[in-house]
Amino acid sequence: MARPRTLFEKIWDNHVVERQDDGTCLIYIDRHLVHEVTSPQAFEGLRLSGRKVRRPEATLAVPDHNVPTSDRSKGIEDEESRIQVETLSSNCAEFGVPLIDMNDVRQGIVHIIGPEQGLTQPGMTIVCGDSHTSTHGAFGALAFGIGTSEVEHVLATQTLIQRPAKNMRIAVDGALPHGITAKDLVLAIIGKIGTAGGTGHVIEYAGPAVRGLSMEGRMTVCNMSIEGGARAGLIAPDQTTFDYLKGRPMVPKAGAWEQAVAFWKSLPSDEGAAYDKEVTLSVSEIEPQVTWGTSPEDVLPISGVVPDPAAIADEGQRQGVERSLKYMGLTPGTRLQDVAIDKVFIGSCTNGRIEDLRAVAAIAQKALAGGRKVAEGVYAMVVPGSGLVKEQAEAEGLDRILVEAGFDWREPGCSMCLAMNADKLKPGERCASTSNRNFEGRQGPGGRTHLVSPGMAAAAALTGRLADVREFLG
Amino acid sequence: MEKFTTLTAVAAPLPMDNVDTDKIIPARYLKTIKRTGLGAGLFSDIRKDGDGKGGPFVLDQPAYKNAKILIVGDNFGCGSSREHAAWALLDGGIRCVIGESFSDIFFSNAGKNGILLIQLPPEEIEKLMDDASRGANATLTIDLEAQTIRGPDGGTIHFEVDPWKKHCLLNGLDDIGLTLQKAPSIDRFEGGQKAQQPWLYGA
Ligand code: SF4
């Protein structure tokens, strides 16, 4: 019998075009997503060498990082941002690449629209010049971020030169308690393995807690694989995956659908497949998670207190924590629930999907019933991940609840996840954010980020401090 | 891509772990449509913190003005996939970074721009960090062919490098040109895939 293989190995083997003696492979790329920030130099490279895009129809472009989240009818005010978005449009026109432009209702964050359009499918190789391409692994696709030189390589050849990654399996036992979400789960995982824990590996998430997640939740988990150092995350496709995909615009047509599903069912890791690293954790007891520092691994339960560097023996580590606390403006020993916030950001490719907005609106509605709104002095923005998410939320009336509760309801895009458009923190401002990176300056120079789940962000908005979402759930 | 064969240059110490790509080049510098000129944003947010002891940031100190080598800690280049991080280093004159470990995507981006990344165990990094803190006397010689680093005292350290990456760096090879020569294999692959998974081709 053939050697048992992991999901990753099966996808890899299916895509090897050529293998060199040293193990380096030329692998075929099924789908290529493109955005405005990491592609201009790649198209320029093609132009300079007189090369074409090999499979424009396997490529899809969308502007997301620079787009304004306010009224778009006036275009983009910032000149550099405007040029980048316009350059994407002209490059797509020149090279025949399909583009969803800024004013299309389908526009949104590239990692939200891929799955939404059904472009993302099990067993595929998918790349994008963006590290959060790992999101698409939720469908059992091998999806990873690449640099601009590699973007150019894929445009020209539909392949990449790669060495196979190692296999890591994270098994999550138990069931998520009430009020605990996929975001808390993945933050807890990063807290456990560290930001370099997955370097060189592809992480396969398994176990009952992962199987029990919706596709939205699975995307949240795979999205943050890169924060654990892994270029890609994977979850084996199952009925939840097929149900999500069925009927989406870019999935296999009738007839081919059954054939595709049969193939997808052959993908999950074989019994007895070997992993290079295995980690197990149980989530039955976990609390809502919140980051206190400037790395996603700096995470604690909401009942925790700001750590004391004096208690750390290792000098390098101690200095790191001291630096983080100074940047974050936090005093050791402070209860996290006593930390006051200025802004709240709900959105991003981590938590900008419909399920996330429903969670926020549900809490806002409870608060309204008790006569509460967004706390005074706090600005809370909700940025849907795509135009279609926004449309659906509006059809469900979520926007009205949010606006009534004092949230600002915006147009879709990356927004304050990385502050390339006009949405940013001012120096020293503190933000509860549903995004994925709390790096120094990520949400604006000098800005301070606490990563949390959507429910936790809503609770922070309503109380004006980091708060336990479970207080709102009753 | 510029070849990398040997390099003799001043090495600057940056004793920090987890230097993410937002630290190497903040997002506000990514609005360019060019590969050049990004040196202006290199380490821009941590530059203003100086050396932490009231002095200027290491690359702003006279002794390190011409540094072409950086000595760093663990997990350098983590975070985003922005190749701008590699372009900014290159534009800032850096051709080689020596550290305990690097993120996967940054590792690949650096190689494609002729920047050699060398991974060494913590003890060796500590020693090089000491050497590098000697300022303008901290000259290292890196020989990629021989895979050695020669320090200011003449001692040498051997390093490992992926054979394919070494070949590309030594010859300044453009992968795209090489891969395009394999078009017949790619055509063959597509033919096979289309037969087995026709839905990937719009069926
Ligand atoms: S939402 Fe944030 S993390 Fe996601 S693609 Fe946009 S900038 Fe990157």
Side-chain angles (χ1 to χ4, degrees):
Chain A
M1 223 184 83
R3 185 180 66 85
R5 290 181 300 165
T6 62
L7 168 57
F8 166 72
E9 289 167 326
K10 292 183 192 183
I11 303 177
W12 182 270
D13 292 349
N14 276 339
H15 290 88
V16 174
V17 175
E18 273 188 12
R19 196 187 310 265
Q20 294 176 17
D21 292 341
D22 69 351
T24 306
C25 295
L26 185 66
I27 63 159
Y28 193 77
I29 301 302
D30 295 321
R31 294 294 180 265
H32 186 189
L33 293 160
V34 172
H35 67 65
E36 80 278 19
V37 182
T38 54
S39 67
Q41 296 86 352
F43 284 112
E44 180 67 10
L46 292 181
R47 216 170 356 249
L48 289 174
S49 44
R51 290 168 179 154
K52 295 193 308 242
V53 175
R54 183 178 170 96
R55 277 189 75 193
E57 77 286 0
T59 315
L60 179 65
V62 66
D64 53 5
H65 285 62
N66 279 282
V67 300
T69 58
S70 51
D71 179 14
R72 289 195 183 151
S73 56
K74 296 187 287 293
I76 305 176
E77 209 173 300
D78 181 90
E79 191 185 339
E80 287 178 299
S81 290
R82 192 180 64 241
I83 292 175
Q84 228 173 29
V85 170
E86 286 170 357
T87 303
L88 181 68
S89 301
S90 59
N91 282 330
C92 287
E94 180 181 345
F95 290 91
V97 171
L99 168 77
I100 294 180
D101 79 25
M102 190 172 88
N103 297 307
D104 191 311
V105 67
R106 297 168 303 161
Q107 182 271 340
I109 304 167
V110 66
H111 309 308
I112 303 251
I113 66 161
E116 196 169 74
Q117 292 300 316
L119 172 142
T120 305
Q121 295 164 25
M124 281 180 166
T125 46
I126 302 176
V127 296
C128 174
D130 194 286
S131 61
H132 290 100
T133 310
S134 60
T135 313
H136 308 263
F139 292 79
L142 176 60
F144 52 90
I146 56 178
T148 299
S149 295
E150 289 175 311
V151 169
E152 186 179 338
H153 194 279
V154 177
L155 288 172
T157 69
Q158 207 59 37
T159 64
L160 274 177
I161 301 166
Q162 295 275 303
R163 278 160 101 55
K166 294 197 195 105
N167 285 277
M168 175 168 180
R169 184 174 189 269
I170 299 186
V172 189
D173 291 331
L176 291 177
H178 189 48
I180 310 299
T181 66
K183 181 64 165 287
D184 302 299
L185 167 60
V186 70
L187 284 171
I189 289 174
I190 296 163
K192 181 169 170 127
I193 68 171
T195 50
T199 303
H201 293 76
V202 164
I203 300 177
E204 182 179 341
Y205 302 94
V210 173
R211 284 271 81 93
L213 293 174
S214 65
M215 285 317 296
E216 282 85 352
R218 293 179 187 185
M219 285 188 253
T220 302
V221 171
C222 285
N223 174 273
M224 290 193 70
S225 301
I226 186 69
E227 273 62 57
R231 215 167 166 177
L234 279 171
I235 294 176
D238 60 12
Q239 199 56 43
T240 306
T241 323
F242 312 146
D243 291 346
Y244 176 96
L245 285 173
K246 187 133 205 194
R248 292 190 182 263
M250 297 173 82
V251 299
K253 309 263 176 323
W257 171 260
E258 286 70 29
Q259 203 188 343
V261 172
F263 172 73
W264 296 342
K265 285 184 174 163
S266 73
L267 291 168
S269 297
D270 298 327
E271 190 82 39
Y275 292 85
D276 301 283
K277 226 183 199 178
E278 294 200 53
V279 174
T280 320
L281 87 167
S282 172
V283 287
S284 299
E285 308 280 313
I286 71 168
E287 285 184 45
Q289 306 282 305
V290 54
T291 62
W292 52 266
T294 55
S295 164
E297 69 187 15
D298 300 339
V299 67
L300 282 170
I302 182 65
S303 62
V305 297
V306 175
D308 185 358
I312 301 171
D314 181 84
E315 193 188 325
Q317 246 178 14
R318 186 169 62 239
Q319 285 171 356
V321 172
E322 278 166 359
R323 184 189 162 93
S324 290
L325 293 184
K326 183 162 167 243
Y327 182 86
M328 293 296 291
L330 291 173
T331 316
T334 310
R335 280 168 19 113
L336 290 171
Q337 296 189 57
D338 292 338
V339 174
I341 51 121
D342 306 295
K343 284 192 172 155
V344 171
F345 172 66
I346 294 164
S348 87
C349 59
T350 313
N351 283 127
R353 284 170 286 266
I354 189 70
E355 187 181 277
D356 304 313
L357 304 188
R358 283 184 193 136
V360 174
I363 289 165
Q365 192 158 31
K366 284 215 168 127
L368 279 173
R372 285 176 89 166
K373 290 190 175 192
V374 168
E376 210 171 297
V378 172
Y379 170 71
M381 67 195 304
V382 183
V383 183
S386 73
L388 292 176
V389 168
K390 179 166 186 262
E391 212 175 57
Q392 184 170 354
E394 290 175 352
E396 295 178 16
L398 307 183
D399 60 320
R400 286 196 302 279
I401 299 167
L402 292 170
V403 170
E404 195 187 333
F407 291 84
D408 190 10
W409 180 246
R410 316 276 299 181
E411 296 295 324
C414 293
S415 181
M416 208 160 70
C417 173
L418 95 163
M420 267 189 89
N421 71 352
D423 310 333
K424 25 173 114 37
L425 295 179
K426 296 195 193 76
E429 274 186 338
R430 187 181 300 284
C431 180
S433 176
T434 67
S435 54
N436 44 49
R437 289 192 175 135
N438 51 348
F439 296 158
E440 290 180 24
R442 172 78 178 182
Q443 295 192 291
R448 296 161 171 166
T449 304
H450 294 274
L451 301 176
V452 289
S453 72
M456 286 286 284
L462 295 161
T463 52
R465 52 178 173 79
L466 297 176
D468 190 333
V469 58
R470 294 171 298 181
E471 287 167 23
F472 285 83
L473 296 171
Chain B
M1 175 175 110
E2 203 179 320
K3 287 182 190 177
F4 191 110
T5 48
T6 59
L7 174 69
T8 299
V10 171
L14 189 64
M16 288 168 83
D17 292 335
N18 300 317
V19 173
D20 56 68
T21 50
D22 280 77
K23 278 204 186 94
I24 301 175
I25 182 129
R28 59 184 179 280
Y29 293 97
L30 309 188
K31 295 189 182 186
T32 174
I33 54 169
K34 302 206 168 64
R35 286 175 199 248
T36 47
L38 282 149
L42 180 62
F43 294 123
S44 113
D45 285 353
I46 54 174
R47 225 169 237 269
K48 60 179 190 322
D49 298 344
D51 63 356
K53 299 176 206 115
F57 182 69
V58 61
L59 294 178
D60 295 328
Q61 296 167 18
Y64 298 105
K65 270 261 167 328
N66 298 316
K68 288 192 165 63
I69 303 167
L70 263 189
I71 316 290
V72 301
D74 198 19
N75 201 24
F76 186 83
C78 60
S80 104
S81 65
R82 59 186 73 157
E83 196 159 319
H84 308 70
W87 299 333
L89 285 166
L90 201 61
D91 203 42
I94 304 297
R95 288 299 308 279
C96 174
V97 186
I98 307 176
E100 279 176 46
S101 73
F102 300 94
S103 88
D104 294 337
I105 305 181
F106 176 73
F107 197 86
S108 152
N109 287 341
K112 302 221 183 296
N113 288 281
I115 299 175
L116 173 66
L117 299 188
I118 300 176
Q119 191 173 347
L120 291 174
E123 320 79 75
E124 309 265 34
I125 294 294
E126 205 173 314
K127 190 181 165 299
L128 288 172
M129 204 68 88
D130 276 350
D131 287 347
S133 18
R134 291 192 237 162
N137 297 327
T139 302
L140 301 182
T141 296
I142 293 157
D143 183 337
L144 178 55
E145 181 60 56
Q147 296 179 215
T148 55
I149 305 170
R150 211 173 47 249
D153 313 330
T156 56
I157 297 174
H158 180 82
F159 63 88
E160 294 302 325
V161 58
D162 178 277
W164 171 251
K165 194 142 274 180
K166 177 176 174 179
H167 174 73
C168 291
L169 280 167
L170 282 173
N171 299 292
L173 291 180
D174 160 23
D175 304 332
I176 299 180
L178 292 174
T179 303
L180 282 171
Q181 291 171 5
K182 298 182 178 165
S185 302
I186 303 173
D187 292 342
R188 230 181 352 262
F189 177 90
E190 283 175 344
Q193 194 190 42
K194 192 170 177 180
Q196 283 177 359
Q197 297 175 66
W199 62 87
L200 292 176
Y201 294 79

